[in-house]
Amino acid sequence: MCGRYSFIPSEKLFLKYKTVQTNYVFLPRYNVCPGENMPVVFKKGNDNYFAEMKWGLIPFWAKDKKIGDNMINARAETIEEKPSFKQPLKTKRCIIPASGFYEWKREGKENVPHYFSPANDAYFSFAGVYDIWKDKHEQDIYSYAIITTQANEIVDKIHDRMPVILNEAGEEQWLQNSNYHSVLGLLKPYDSKKMQVYQVSKEVNSSKMDLAEFILPQE
DNA sequence: CCAGACGTTGTT
DNA sequence: GTCTGG
DNA sequence: CCAGACGTTGTT
DNA sequence: GTCTGG
């Protein structure tokens, strides 16, 4: 899945993604929810840029932008076949930087949130696709979906799906405007030794709250 | 041919 | 049960 | 992803 | 826009 994540900005972002620096204002976020506007890295020409995009991919041909509410994730296993994702896969690949992500473990009637974060790095690079939709004023609306894959050994204890996370070598390959067949191999579960997990407060379940304590281990 | 969908997740 | 809002 | 709503009328 | 189902 991947329906919530965190994003704690730092100067490292510009170095890591070799982006052209802009006036983009980054705010620390501990509970990013579907539908929100968040920074995403994409390539334009030979340069990488940050752009603010809405989480939930609205296909360029959509008549109603609400279709994007259902497009927060794209399954790696079927992304090539899906009308909403096949064209973005070819020409509109992007990276969503994240400090960590949440997955819920179903325990009877309870949903128990767990937080996954990098063991060493500052950020995860989620593999994503985006699209550009025009609203009634011909304004470009950018939106994105996070690609998911089967869980690795550490995530599998909590949940059976996880976001595709790119390693350093994969990041630039994914953004490059190359034949998409050559990057499909990147859509694999991440090395579980490069991440950690712990249970966190159920307060994160409420999308209305966004507190730094959400990413701390629950005692 | 036209009409209608276009998605993932989890749960049953 | 299913949709909407965050 | 989870939480919360899910409806209409008339009156203030 | 493009595919599927009827």
Coordinates of all heavy atoms in Angstrom, one line a residue, chain B:
Chain B
dC1 P -15.4 1.5 -35.8 OP1 -15.0 2.2 -34.6 OP2 -15.2 1.7 -37.1 O5' -16.9 1.0 -35.5 C5' -18.1 1.4 -36.2 C4' -19.3 1.2 -35.4 O4' -19.3 -0.2 -35.0 C3' -19.2 1.9 -34.1 O3' -19.8 3.2 -34.2 C2' -20.0 1.0 -33.1 C1' -19.8 -0.4 -33.7 N1 -18.8 -1.2 -32.9 C2 -19.2 -1.8 -31.7 O2 -20.3 -1.6 -31.3 N3 -18.3 -2.5 -31.0 C4 -17.0 -2.7 -31.5 N4 -16.2 -3.4 -30.9 C5 -16.6 -2.1 -32.8 C6 -17.5 -1.3 -33.4
dC2 P -19.4 4.4 -33.3 OP1 -20.0 5.6 -33.9 OP2 -18.0 4.3 -33.0 O5' -20.2 4.1 -32.0 C5' -21.6 3.8 -32.0 C4' -22.1 3.5 -30.6 O4' -21.4 2.3 -30.2 C3' -21.8 4.5 -29.6 O3' -22.9 4.5 -28.7 C2' -20.5 4.0 -29.0 C1' -20.7 2.5 -29.0 N1 -19.4 1.7 -29.1 C2 -19.2 0.6 -28.2 O2 -20.0 0.4 -27.4 N3 -18.1 -0.1 -28.4 C4 -17.2 0.2 -29.3 N4 -16.1 -0.6 -29.4 C5 -17.4 1.3 -30.2 C6 -18.5 2.0 -30.1
dA3 P -22.8 5.6 -27.5 OP1 -24.2 6.1 -27.3 OP2 -21.7 6.6 -27.8 O5' -22.4 4.7 -26.3 C5' -23.0 3.5 -26.1 C4' -22.8 2.9 -24.7 O4' -21.5 2.2 -24.8 C3' -22.6 3.9 -23.6 O3' -23.1 3.3 -22.4 C2' -21.1 4.2 -23.6 C1' -20.5 2.9 -24.0 N9 -19.3 2.9 -24.8 C8 -18.9 3.8 -25.8 N7 -17.8 3.5 -26.4 C5 -17.4 2.3 -25.7 C6 -16.3 1.5 -25.9 N6 -15.3 1.7 -26.8 N1 -16.2 0.4 -25.1 C2 -17.1 0.2 -24.2 N3 -18.2 0.9 -24.0 C4 -18.3 1.9 -24.8
dG4 P -23.1 4.1 -21.1 OP1 -24.1 3.6 -20.2 OP2 -22.9 5.6 -21.3 O5' -21.7 3.6 -20.4 C5' -21.5 2.2 -20.3 C4' -20.2 1.9 -19.6 O4' -19.1 1.9 -20.6 C3' -19.9 2.9 -18.5 O3' -19.5 2.2 -17.4 C2' -18.8 3.8 -19.1 C1' -18.1 2.8 -20.1 N9 -17.4 3.4 -21.2 C8 -17.8 4.5 -21.9 N7 -17.0 4.8 -22.9 C5 -16.0 3.8 -22.9 C6 -14.9 3.5 -23.7 O6 -14.5 4.2 -24.6 N1 -14.2 2.4 -23.3 C2 -14.6 1.6 -22.2 N2 -13.8 0.5 -22.0 N3 -15.7 1.8 -21.5 C4 -16.3 2.9 -21.8
dA5 P -18.9 2.9 -16.1 OP1 -19.7 2.4 -14.9 OP2 -18.8 4.3 -16.3 O5' -17.4 2.3 -16.0 C5' -17.2 0.9 -16.3 C4' -15.8 0.7 -16.4 O4' -15.3 1.3 -17.7 C3' -14.9 1.3 -15.3 O3' -13.8 0.4 -15.1 C2' -14.4 2.6 -15.9 C1' -14.2 2.2 -17.4 N9 -14.3 3.3 -18.3 C8 -15.1 4.3 -18.4 N7 -14.9 5.1 -19.4 C5 -13.9 4.6 -20.1 C6 -13.2 5.0 -21.2 N6 -13.4 6.0 -21.9 N1 -12.1 4.2 -21.6 C2 -11.8 3.1 -20.9 N3 -12.4 2.6 -19.8 C4 -13.4 3.4 -19.4
dC6 P -13.0 0.4 -13.7 OP1 -12.6 -0.9 -13.4 OP2 -13.7 1.3 -12.8 O5' -11.7 1.2 -14.2 C5' -10.7 0.5 -15.0 C4' -9.7 1.6 -15.5 O4' -10.4 2.4 -16.4 C3' -9.1 2.5 -14.4 O3' -7.7 2.6 -14.6 C2' -9.7 3.8 -14.8 C1' -9.8 3.7 -16.3 N1 -10.6 4.7 -16.9 C2 -10.3 5.1 -18.2 O2 -9.3 4.5 -18.8 N3 -11.0 6.1 -18.9 C4 -12.0 6.6 -18.2 N4 -12.7 7.6 -18.9 C5 -12.4 6.2 -16.9 C6 -11.7 5.3 -16.3
dG7 P -6.7 1.3 -14.3 OP1 -5.4 1.6 -15.0 OP2 -7.4 0.0 -14.6 O5' -6.6 1.4 -12.8 C5' -5.7 2.4 -12.2 C4' -5.8 2.3 -10.7 O4' -7.1 2.6 -10.2 C3' -5.6 0.8 -10.2 O3' -4.2 0.6 -10.1 C2' -6.3 0.8 -8.9 C1' -7.4 1.9 -9.1 N9 -8.7 1.4 -9.2 C8 -9.2 0.6 -10.2 N7 -10.5 0.3 -10.1 C5 -10.9 1.1 -8.9 C6 -12.1 1.2 -8.3 O6 -13.2 0.7 -8.6 N1 -12.1 2.1 -7.2 C2 -10.9 2.7 -6.8 N2 -11.0 3.5 -5.7 N3 -9.7 2.6 -7.3 C4 -9.8 1.8 -8.4
dT8 P -3.6 -0.7 -9.7 OP1 -2.1 -0.7 -10.0 OP2 -4.5 -1.8 -10.2 O5' -3.7 -0.7 -8.1 C5' -3.2 0.4 -7.4 C4' -3.6 0.2 -5.9 O4' -5.0 0.5 -5.8 C3' -3.4 -1.2 -5.3 O3' -2.4 -1.0 -4.3 C2' -4.7 -1.5 -4.7 C1' -5.5 -0.2 -4.7 N1 -7.0 -0.4 -5.0 C2 -7.8 0.3 -4.1 O2 -7.5 0.9 -3.2 N3 -9.2 0.1 -4.5 C4 -9.7 -0.6 -5.5 O4 -10.9 -0.6 -5.7 C5 -8.7 -1.2 -6.4 C7 -9.2 -2.0 -7.6 C6 -7.4 -1.1 -6.1
dT9 P -1.8 -2.3 -3.6 OP1 -0.5 -2.0 -3.2 OP2 -2.1 -3.5 -4.4 O5' -2.8 -2.4 -2.3 C5' -2.8 -1.3 -1.4 C4' -3.9 -1.4 -0.4 O4' -5.2 -1.2 -1.1 C3' -4.1 -2.8 0.2 O3' -3.4 -2.8 1.4 C2' -5.5 -3.1 0.3 C1' -6.2 -1.9 -0.4 N1 -7.2 -2.3 -1.3 C2 -8.5 -1.8 -1.2 O2 -8.8 -1.0 -0.3 N3 -9.4 -2.3 -2.1 C4 -9.2 -3.2 -3.2 O4 -10.0 -3.5 -3.9 C5 -7.8 -3.7 -3.2 C7 -7.4 -4.6 -4.3 C6 -6.9 -3.2 -2.3
dG10 P -3.4 -4.3 2.2 OP1 -2.3 -4.1 3.2 OP2 -3.3 -5.4 1.2 O5' -4.8 -4.4 3.0 C5' -5.4 -3.2 3.5 C4' -6.8 -3.6 4.0 O4' -7.6 -3.7 2.9 C3' -6.9 -4.9 4.8 O3' -7.7 -4.7 5.9 C2' -7.4 -5.8 3.8 C1' -8.3 -5.0 2.9 N9 -8.3 -5.4 1.5 C8 -7.3 -6.0 0.7 N7 -7.7 -6.4 -0.5 C5 -9.0 -6.0 -0.5 C6 -10.0 -6.0 -1.6 O6 -9.8 -6.5 -2.7 N1 -11.2 -5.5 -1.3 C2 -11.5 -5.0 -0.1 N2 -12.7 -4.5 0.1 N3 -10.6 -4.9 1.0 C4 -9.4 -5.4 0.6
dT11 P -7.9 -5.8 7.0 OP1 -7.9 -5.1 8.2 OP2 -6.9 -6.9 6.7 O5' -9.3 -6.4 6.7 C5' -10.4 -5.5 6.5 C4' -11.6 -6.3 6.0 O4' -11.5 -6.4 4.6 C3' -11.8 -7.7 6.6 O3' -13.0 -7.8 7.2 C2' -11.6 -8.6 5.5 C1' -12.0 -7.7 4.3 N1 -11.3 -8.1 3.0 C2 -12.1 -8.1 1.9 O2 -13.2 -7.7 1.8 N3 -11.4 -8.4 0.7 C4 -10.1 -8.9 0.6 O4 -9.6 -9.2 -0.4 C5 -9.4 -8.9 1.9 C7 -7.9 -9.4 1.9 C6 -10.0 -8.6 3.0
dT12 P -13.4 -9.2 8.0 OP1 -14.0 -8.7 9.3 OP2 -12.2 -10.1 8.1 O5' -14.5 -9.8 7.1 C5' -15.5 -9.0 6.6 C4' -16.2 -9.8 5.5 O4' -15.4 -9.8 4.3 C3' -16.5 -11.2 5.8 O3' -18.0 -11.4 5.8 C2' -15.9 -12.1 4.8 C1' -15.5 -11.1 3.7 N1 -14.1 -11.4 3.1 C2 -14.0 -11.4 1.7 O2 -15.0 -11.2 1.0 N3 -12.8 -11.7 1.3 C4 -11.6 -11.9 2.0 O4 -10.6 -12.1 1.4 C5 -11.8 -11.9 3.4 C7 -10.6 -12.1 4.3 C6 -13.0 -11.6 3.9

